[in-house]
Amino acid sequence: MSSFVGTLKVEAKGDREIVMTREFNAGKDLVFDCFTKPELIKRWLYGPDGWSLDVCTVDLKVGGKYRYVWKYLKDGSTMGAGGTYKEISGPDKLVQTESFDEAWYPGEALLTTTFAEVSGKTFITINILYETKEGRDTVVKSPMEGGASQSYNRLETLLNTLAETAKGKN
């Protein structure tokens, strides 16, 4: 599997991994903040249209926990996920576990997100390692790619808005 949705690239790698890459027109400090500060996360990480991110807590320290709960606006159903931070080397790298309240893939995943800035643009790479090939394949067949693409497009818009606001203050 290898495909592009917008500018998000999603690839299956080996038996248990998915690698997502995306370029943003912003510095890595700001992109890192958008991945770690609840007030910014809530503005872009709410999945496909028709969902909201109602709970977003982040204890940004090694061993700290994060928790997200999304709500489907049409019927009020929810989907929750969370995990533990294993490594924080901001603004260059985040490593965290991920598991869903109602597991739709077996076990938990390990996400390693790297932020690399080149000429004012930030390239993020998210390596998602699943416990089993079955888990990875379940995610590959799900609508995750489309939802992630919508979220990252929202993040690009948010980054542009934050950059414009910062310019206005100077």
Side-chain angles (χ1 to χ4, degrees):
M1 174 185 119
S2 177
S3 60
F4 284 91
V5 176
T7 56
L8 175 68
K9 182 178 178 185
V10 179
E11 294 180 284
K13 182 178 170 186
D15 285 339
R16 300 185 305 137
E17 194 170 4
I18 291 175
V19 179
M20 299 192 309
T21 55
R22 170 75 195 247
E23 173 187 348
F24 294 98
N25 191 23
K28 71 178 175 180
D29 289 338
L30 186 56
V31 177
F32 185 84
D33 283 351
C34 286
F35 272 76
T36 57
K37 293 185 175 180
E39 66 274 15
L40 296 175
I41 295 168
K42 285 181 118 179
R43 293 174 65 181
W44 69 272
L45 188 63
Y46 51 89
D49 289 337
W51 287 79
S52 64
L53 180 56
D54 284 9
V55 174
C56 178
T57 58
V58 173
D59 183 14
L60 191 63
K61 65 183 181 197
V62 173
K65 307 241 183 242
Y66 71 96
R67 174 118 176 103
Y68 305 143
V69 178
W70 295 270
K71 186 189 324 185
Y72 186 48
L73 300 176
K74 281 189 179 172
D75 65 11
S77 61
T78 60
M79 179 177 72
T84 303
Y85 292 103
K86 300 294 187 182
E87 180 183 340
I88 301 165
S89 303
D92 300 304
K93 185 177 181 182
L94 277 175
V95 180
Q96 67 211 60
T97 61
E98 174 188 78
S99 61
F100 284 83
D101 295 354
E102 295 180 19
W104 57 282
Y105 61 81
E108 68 180 12
L110 184 67
L111 284 69
T112 301
T113 306
T114 56
F115 304 81
E117 186 174 339
V118 178
S119 301
K121 294 184 185 294
T122 298
F123 297 84
I124 63 161
T125 303
I126 304 172
N127 292 69
I128 309 168
L129 181 63
Y130 297 90
E131 290 183 5
T132 65
K133 181 180 187 315
E134 173 194 21
R136 192 280 311 266
D137 290 348
T138 297
V139 174
V140 165
K141 293 173 188 167
S142 79
M144 177 276 295
E145 185 174 347
S149 182
Q150 286 181 22
S151 291
Y152 289 131
N153 289 342
R154 277 191 219 102
L155 176 54
E156 182 71 47
T157 300
L158 174 60
L159 290 164
N160 291 338
T161 300
L162 294 170
E164 288 300 316
T165 301
K167 282 182 192 173
K169 291 180 180 176
N170 293 334

